[in-house]
Amino acid sequence: MAVEFLHELNVPFFKVGSGDTNNFPYLEKTAKKGRPMVISSGMQSMNTMHQVYQIVKPINPNFCFLQCTSAYPLQPEDVNLRVISAYQSAFPDIPIGYSGHETGIAITVAAVAMGAKVVERHVTLDKTWKGSDHQASLEPNELAELVKAIRTVEKAMGSPVKQLLPCEMACNEKLGKSVVAKVTIPEGAVLTLDMLTVKVGEPKGLPPEAIFDLVGQKVKKNIEEDETITEQAVENYVEKVKC
């Protein structure tokens, strides 16, 4: 009856509570309505969640799973955020989220950092009201803080590409080091490691990671002690590429 009632209300999605996740006839009926589904997984096993996936997916591919532990309030040691990663591996074609009943916002923010795409938290106007659910809920100011923290984490996730960023240029100019001459090096000398060291130099020269590439190469001008080694100072400089 609840499914029919909510369908008539034209709700944007159906939330399947943990207590109904292993109610397979109910899942089929809900999936057939064609609305997006958010399915919590408290009290369930991975085997059951695989069965849920196999039932819902052919009928309605627009659904997600939420990692959830059905305890109110939930203690940190029972959260098991790593299940989010397990779900991501087991069900790579659907979004994975988190339904939290813990106190505070830190664990939910951590879930987002782990890749949770949907977050569910209960909200109350007063945690001291009767009933265990209120203790596990967020008051409005905490909800606002959670949303703000999640948006910050989403920005901070950024790119998986590790590279020197424009915002780091000022620090790199100040603290970035170069290969410099440890001793005076005469024109025509073949470089050895004991001729070289790494220091902050001005102007910038070859970066520290090039120091081993320089060994065995010939310089084409006199280089004073503490002078930076530049590409122009080395005859036919070739960076050695390591596979």
Side-chain angles (χ1 to χ4, degrees):
M1 290 177 63
V3 173
E4 296 298 341
F5 175 66
L6 292 171
H7 188 61
E8 289 176 12
L9 286 180
N10 199 28
V11 294
F13 64 90
F14 285 123
K15 165 65 199 300
V16 179
S18 294
D20 277 312
T21 295
N22 57 352
N23 183 346
F24 294 161
Y26 164 77
L27 282 178
E28 282 189 347
K29 181 180 180 68
T30 306
K32 286 176 181 177
K33 294 299 183 183
R35 298 186 185 277
M37 296 171 65
V38 177
I39 305 173
S40 277
S41 61
M43 302 178 287
Q44 309 304 329
S45 67
M46 182 62 89
N47 180 60
T48 297
M49 297 312 295
H50 275 286
Q51 290 178 274
V52 171
Y53 177 90
Q54 290 161 5
I55 289 169
V56 175
K57 180 72 174 180
I59 304 171
N60 182 358
N62 194 7
F63 69 101
C64 70
F65 286 163
L66 307 184
Q67 161 55 0
C68 176
T69 302
S70 299
Y72 303 80
L74 175 60
Q75 298 303 308
E77 58 268 25
D78 293 322
V79 172
N80 294 329
L81 286 179
R82 286 191 174 94
V83 174
I84 292 173
S85 300
Y87 281 168
Q88 289 167 337
S89 296
F91 314 108
D93 57 339
I94 64 171
I96 302 301
Y98 174 70
S99 174
H101 305 129
E102 73 278 3
T103 57
I105 69 170
I107 290 171
T108 303
V109 174
V112 173
M114 292 184 68
K117 302 302 183 186
V118 178
V119 164
E120 178 193 14
R121 290 298 303 269
H122 295 199
V123 178
T124 182
L125 297 179
D126 190 337
K127 292 183 183 183
T128 65
W129 284 348
K130 184 178 179 181
S132 59
D133 199 58
H134 292 287
Q135 299 174 47
S137 299
L138 300 177
E139 292 181 351
N141 63 312
E142 290 179 298
L143 178 62
E145 185 182 354
L146 174 62
V147 172
K148 183 178 178 181
I150 286 173
R151 298 300 179 228
T152 300
V153 167
E154 287 173 336
K155 291 179 183 176
M157 294 303 292
S159 167
V161 178
K162 185 59 184 172
Q163 60 185 335
L164 179 65
L165 297 175
C167 67
E168 297 179 298
M169 291 305 297
C171 188
N172 188 57
E173 285 299 313
K174 181 179 180 181
L175 300 178
K177 295 179 173 62
S178 301
V179 179
V180 304
K182 191 174 184 179
V183 295
T184 298
I185 303 172
E187 179 183 349
V190 175
L191 293 172
T192 58
L193 193 57
D194 58 5
M195 295 177 180
L196 306 171
T197 190
V198 173
K199 291 184 179 181
V200 173
E202 184 62 39
K204 286 279 189 296
L206 289 167
E209 59 264 31
I211 192 167
F212 295 135
D213 295 336
L214 288 167
V215 173
Q217 301 200 43
K218 185 184 292 187
V219 297
K220 54 186 179 181
K221 74 179 198 66
N222 291 328
I223 303 174
E224 299 299 322
E225 182 180 346
D226 279 345
E227 184 180 342
T228 53
I229 309 292
T230 64
E231 187 173 333
Q232 294 73 29
V234 180
E235 190 173 289
N236 300 321
Y237 173 73
V238 178
E239 183 179 359
K240 297 173 186 174
V241 179
K242 298 176 179 63
C243 298

